[in-house]
Amino acid sequence: MVIDRLFSGLRRLREERTLRRRAIPDDLWNLTVARYPFLSNRSADDLAGLRELATLFLAEKEFTGTQGLAITDEIAVAIAAQACLPILRLGLDHYNGFVGIVVHPDEVVARREVMDEDGVVHHYDETVTGEAMEGGPVMLSWHDVATAGESAEWGYNVVIHEFAHVLDTGDGAADGIPPLPDRAARDAWAAVIDAEFNAFCGQVDAGEDTLLDPYGAEGVDEFFAVASEVFFVAPGDLRLEHPALYDLFSGYYKQTP
Ligand SMILES: [Zn+2]
């Protein structure tokens, strides 16, 4: 216990030093918040907490640009601010499983392979704007990150999508169930999200227009990620159309955006 307290005390000192020495400059922070309505809508308290988390996030994570993209402060802060929104009340420890963030100028074509039931491997190309690999880097398209202010209107946000996957896989399984305190909490979560997911797949199959990206019908893990996007960037819409999901997420994320 004494040792635990010593370590958490030392850690707090280290964090305070990072916050002092590597604070995000006022101008850059204000510009970042202003370009994303789902950030500028937040209370002054939320934004102060988000700025601290983003500062610590920037000190811990390693950014790499591809295809000649230089990682500017503008890019790094835009990503950090959005990535830290889901963990505003959960803490940065939830992102301990990875260090690298790879930023492409735009969407990329990823070569995929699948094996069919006869054991034959098929190759195909998939265009992706982001990807979160377990323990590996989080990949993002800067074009999609940069335009997240406009795309919030239709509930699209690549950063929140990929970091929702990071949270989901925090317990080792990509199953739409983030780490929860106990079995009862996991069962309660599964009951709500499975019912919502099944109803959603029915709507998508019927060709109905949906608030959530139809991509969410690919699996319950994708459903959790696309619903998390809407929870943070168009929360009023989610509360109206999926109140049970909104309540589930506000309990987990400890936020009512
Ligand atoms: Zn996904």
Side-chain angles (χ1 to χ4, degrees), residues 13-24 55:
L13 281 176
R14 201 176 60 226
E15 287 180 352
E16 277 166 8
R17 195 176 56 195
T18 302
L19 293 173
R20 264 197 322 274
R21 291 189 180 167
R22 303 183 62 170
I24 300 168
T55 305

Side-chain angles (χ1 to χ4, degrees), residues 41-123:
N41 280 341
R42 290 299 189 113
S43 69
D45 274 359
D46 277 0
L47 289 175
L50 189 65
R51 186 175 179 173
E52 284 202 359
L53 267 181
T55 305
L56 299 173
F57 180 95
L58 289 169
E60 273 184 19
K61 304 307 180 198
E62 288 168 10
F63 288 77
T64 311
T66 69
Q67 299 165 60
L69 180 72
I71 301 295
T72 59
D73 290 347
E74 178 205 357
I75 292 177
V77 172
I79 292 171
Q82 295 179 72
C84 289
L85 191 58
I87 53 154
L88 185 58
R89 308 254 188 279
L90 302 178
L92 198 52
D93 285 353
H94 285 72
Y95 292 162
N96 278 352
F98 76 99
V99 171
I101 297 171
V102 176
V103 190
H104 297 285
D106 208 330
E107 59 187 21
V108 290
V109 176
R111 197 93 174 104
R112 306 289 197 208
E113 56 176 57
V114 281
M115 193 187 287
D116 66 21
E117 51 270 39
D118 299 321
V120 180
V121 175
H122 300 268
H123 294 272

Side-chain angles (χ1 to χ4, degrees), residues 127-148:
T127 305
V128 293
T129 55
E131 190 163 41
M133 280 156 288
E134 224 191 308
V138 174
M139 187 276 275
L140 297 163
S141 148
W142 168 239
H143 172 79
D144 293 75
V145 175
T147 54

Side-chain angles (χ1 to χ4, degrees), residues 130-132 161-162 165 215 221-223 225-226 229:
E131 190 163 41
H161 182 103
E162 299 311 331
H165 281 315
Y215 183 67
D221 55 333
E222 295 301 344
F223 183 69
V226 301
E229 294 176 60

